[in-house]
């Protein structure tokens, strides 16, 4: 489905222009982290990705969110159809926060960090595995029956440990066993991974999705690690959207984190980008998930949207 109906010869030309990129990336693995915030605007309202047509269930915001997810699902199916191997890793922070609020659970913070007690973990796991994962899998499968949902707990995919016992069940990645992902990719399927990990006793932990996406990209030796977020890319001044940096090497990005120019939710993305490109991933990208077909623009055109991070 496209926003503007193009004349057929233009469509044919667009396809031909994509050919060198299709040939270059066919058979390559691309790990895409789809964040909760790629769908939800900074004011908490879902962002507009396409004009909202007739409101199907009266919920205009819900419609817009569904539209955004649908465009993303189309991109994933298109990539798989041209021989690229997408692996989707997703977060869901805003969705967890919203269910907690609906259940009347008051978040607890220690030194500014959210404490994940057993009940919070249960909510996070229910939302990530039972809701967000299902929504993404369901939408991809509308466009092509390829997506299989996984939790990091499945088949030993993500072994986790407590980051800090004082924070409860917030986990760090100890090890990734990508066997199950390789098996699904070999079958032509698209793994969609919720970022819950477990330790050797079976205890589950909620892990930052940016960190998981980076660790999975490394373990797969992915060609690209792509973060879809709610800004145009990495900005030299986070308050000024006109300061987008198109290309950074790992050392430059480290310096931005050290100076505080990269802060908040961009810190784990930056850390995942620099670690990944130093450990075999050819490039990492931070793209604006609010832009329709951002991944296609990045992978299949010479445009290069957002920020590209390379080893040097
Ligand atoms: P996601 O749901 O995609 O993980 P986050 O809110 O966790 O989104 O991270 C993205 C946010 O990081 C941006 O919305 C922005 O507020 C913040 N940020 C901090 N420093 C920078 C920077 N230098 N460039 C871009 N964004 C930055
Ligand atoms: Mg985040």
């Amino acid at each position: 489905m496209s926003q503007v109906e193009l004349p057929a010869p233009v469509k044919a030309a667009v396809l031909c222009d994509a050919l060198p990129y299709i040939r270059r990336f066919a058979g390559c693995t691309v790990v895409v982290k789809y964040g909760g915030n790629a769908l939800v605007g900074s004011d908490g309202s879902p962002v507009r990705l396409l004009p909202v047509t007739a409101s199907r269930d009266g919920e205009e915001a819900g419609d817009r969110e569904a539209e955004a997810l649908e465009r993303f699902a189309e991109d994933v199916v298109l990539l798989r159809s041209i021989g690229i191997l997408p692996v989707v890793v997703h977060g869901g922070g805003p969705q967890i926060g919203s269910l907690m609020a609906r259940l009347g659970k008051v978040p607890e913070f220690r030194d500014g960090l959210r404490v994940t007690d057993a009940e919070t973990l249960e909510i996070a796991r229910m939302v990530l595995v039972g809701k967000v994962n299902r929504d993404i899998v369901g939408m991809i499968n509308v466009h092509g029956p390829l997506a299989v949902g996984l939790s990091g707990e499945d088949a030993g995919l993500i072994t986790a440990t407590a980051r800090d016992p004082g924070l409860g069940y917030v986990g760090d990645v100890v090890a990734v066993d990508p066997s199950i992902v390789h098996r699904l990719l070999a079958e032509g399927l698209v793994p969609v991974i919720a970022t819950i990990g477990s330790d050797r006793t079976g205890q589950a932990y909620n892990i930052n999705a940016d960190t998981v996406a980076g660790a999975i990209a490394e373990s797969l030796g992915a060609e690209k690690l792509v973060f879809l977020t709610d800004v145009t890319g990495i900005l030299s001044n986070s308050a000024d959207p006109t300061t987008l940096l198109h290309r950074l090497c790992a050392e430059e990005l480290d310096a931005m984190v050290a100076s505080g120019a990269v802060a908040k939710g961009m810190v784990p993305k930056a850390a995942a980008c620099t670690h990944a490109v130093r450990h075999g991933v050819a490039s990492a990208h931070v793209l604006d998930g609010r832009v329709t077909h951002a991944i296609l623009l990045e992978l299949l055109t010479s445009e290069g949207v957002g920020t590209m991070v390379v080893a040097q």
Side-chain angles (χ1 to χ4, degrees), residues 42-43 59 62 77 165 170 179 209-210 228 246 264 266-267 291:
S42 52
D43 60 353
E59 267 288 334
V77 173
V170 176
S179 314
D210 298 331
L228 291 178
H246 294 280
K264 298 187 282 182
M266 196 53 76
V267 174
V291 171

Side-chain angles (χ1 to χ4, degrees), residues 100-185:
M100 283 181 61
R102 274 161 62 194
L103 295 173
K105 179 135 177 83
V106 182
E108 185 196 334
F109 291 89
R110 197 163 298 166
D111 301 328
L113 296 170
R114 185 196 288 266
V115 178
T116 300
D117 61 12
E119 199 185 358
T120 303
L121 173 72
E122 195 175 40
I123 295 170
R125 195 188 198 195
M126 270 170 19
V127 170
L128 292 176
V129 182
K131 166 87 175 105
V132 181
N133 189 269
R134 287 299 101 199
D135 286 349
I136 297 173
V137 167
M139 190 59 91
I140 293 174
N141 288 341
V142 167
H143 294 278
L146 303 170
V148 176
L150 292 174
S151 160
E153 301 159 279
D154 295 344
L157 178 55
I158 300 168
T159 305
T161 189
R163 169 167 292 187
D164 166 356
L167 293 176
Y169 301 109
V170 176
D172 272 328
V173 178
V174 175
V176 176
D177 176 353
S179 314
I180 185 67
V181 177
H182 282 303
R183 288 164 70 180
L184 293 170
L185 291 176

